[in-house]
Amino acid sequence: EVQLLESGGRLVQPGGSLRLSCATSGFTFNTYVMGWVRQAPGKGLEWVSSVSSSGGATYYADSVKGRFTISRDNSKNTLYLQMNSLRAEDTAVYYCARRGYCSSSSCSSFDYWGQGTLVTVSS
Amino acid sequence: EIVLTQSPGTLSLSPGERASLSCRASHSVSSFYLAWYQQKPGQAPRLLIYGASSRATGIPDRFSGSGSGTDFTLTISRLEPEDFAVYYCHHYGSSPYTFGQGTKLEIK
């Protein structure tokens, strides 16, 4: 059974830092692209960042570029999101998600998600 | 950046009716990389459709996706009580990936 379990969310002051983790099991972690998606309270979904299966390629939303760093440890089947210079607008539930494979006719999107971890940025 | 605009914002229908949700892209999107998600309160999103028209594993065949270029549609052929939720379209072809703002499907 595929499982993704986020941790690390908490209350942090503006300007502070936080590292989120996503422990995974039930699939061959090092063959999948992984990503983070967030959802501010009462708002829609916002893609934050993605990382290639090897960790060699990373992608970020403009809203977090230069402040957040995505990484992965394929030996531990774990995905990370280092968040620096946090702002009030970063307050959200952060979801870890797995991106499925591509075939000759289509490419899957985020097919498995964790339950999310809440990050609150406030003084 | 590709902006996805979903309409309507809220759709009020009764169980058994047909639902059509629209997603319009600001620029042409490859059909390979257009997905639809369902989200219920307090839950993570659930992948319904990827590649514009392929149903994800375990998704009932009353859900179907169509479209190309800038116009995409999610159709639910006959609404079940459990289908009332918020639906998002999502472009994931090239960074930055984006989501639509969502359509809330509510019981009439």
Side-chain angles (χ1 to χ4, degrees):
Chain A
E1 180 190 5
V2 173
Q3 293 190 332
L4 297 89
L5 182 63
E6 303 94 337
S7 62
R10 61 174 175 85
L11 174 64
V12 62
Q13 291 191 336
S17 297
L18 206 56
R19 188 176 85 155
L20 305 183
S21 299
C22 174
T24 73
S25 61
F27 63 102
T28 308
F29 181 72
N30 62 10
T31 66
Y32 285 88
V33 171
M34 299 292 297
W36 291 95
V37 176
R38 69 184 180 183
Q39 186 168 36
K43 302 298 184 181
L45 301 172
E46 181 187 13
W47 170 76
V48 173
S49 182
S50 292
V51 61
S52 64
S53 56
S54 67
T58 57
Y59 309 89
Y60 299 94
D62 288 344
S63 59
V64 307
K65 199 174 295 183
R67 299 187 299 123
F68 290 12
T69 302
I70 191 171
S71 63
R72 61 192 298 161
D73 186 335
N74 285 345
S75 69
K76 295 183 178 179
N77 297 332
T78 301
L79 177 71
Y80 302 101
L81 185 68
Q82 177 67 42
M83 303 186 295
N84 298 330
S85 303
L86 283 162
R87 306 166 180 167
E89 54 265 37
D90 296 319
T91 294
V93 173
Y94 284 73
Y95 294 102
C96 158
R98 183 189 89 168
R99 177 166 164 175
Y101 291 144
C102 289
S103 68
S104 58
S105 60
S106 63
C107 279
S108 184
S109 182
F110 293 123
D111 56 356
Y112 284 91
W113 298 59
Q115 281 307 298
T117 187
L118 177 61
V119 173
T120 303
V121 183
S122 176
S123 55
Chain B
E1 172 178 321
I2 292 177
V3 176
L4 300 177
T5 302
Q6 294 186 239
S7 61
T10 302
L11 185 58
S12 299
L13 294 171
S14 300
E17 291 193 291
R18 180 185 182 91
S20 290
L21 286 65
S22 173
C23 176
R24 179 161 291 178
S26 58
H27 302 88
S28 183
V29 172
S30 168
S31 296
F32 259 54
Y33 304 110
L34 195 287
W36 289 92
Y37 291 89
Q38 177 193 68
Q39 187 179 34
K40 296 179 180 179
Q43 296 184 15
R46 174 193 181 197
L47 179 63
L48 300 174
I49 300 289
Y50 64 91
S53 60
S54 298
R55 268 188 304 275
T57 303
I59 301 304
D61 60 7
R62 64 179 181 274
F63 291 92
S64 63
S66 62
S68 64
T70 60
D71 290 298
F72 298 88
T73 301
L74 174 70
T75 301
I76 310 172
S77 60
R78 189 158 41 216
L79 286 165
E80 298 287 342
E82 62 267 27
D83 298 336
F84 292 91
V86 179
Y87 291 83
Y88 296 94
C89 59
H90 171 50
H91 145 69
Y92 53 103
S94 59
S95 180
Y97 308 146
T98 52
F99 287 89
Q101 83 280 17
T103 289
K104 182 179 181 181
L105 179 57
E106 65 177 23
I107 299 177
K108 187 174 182 179

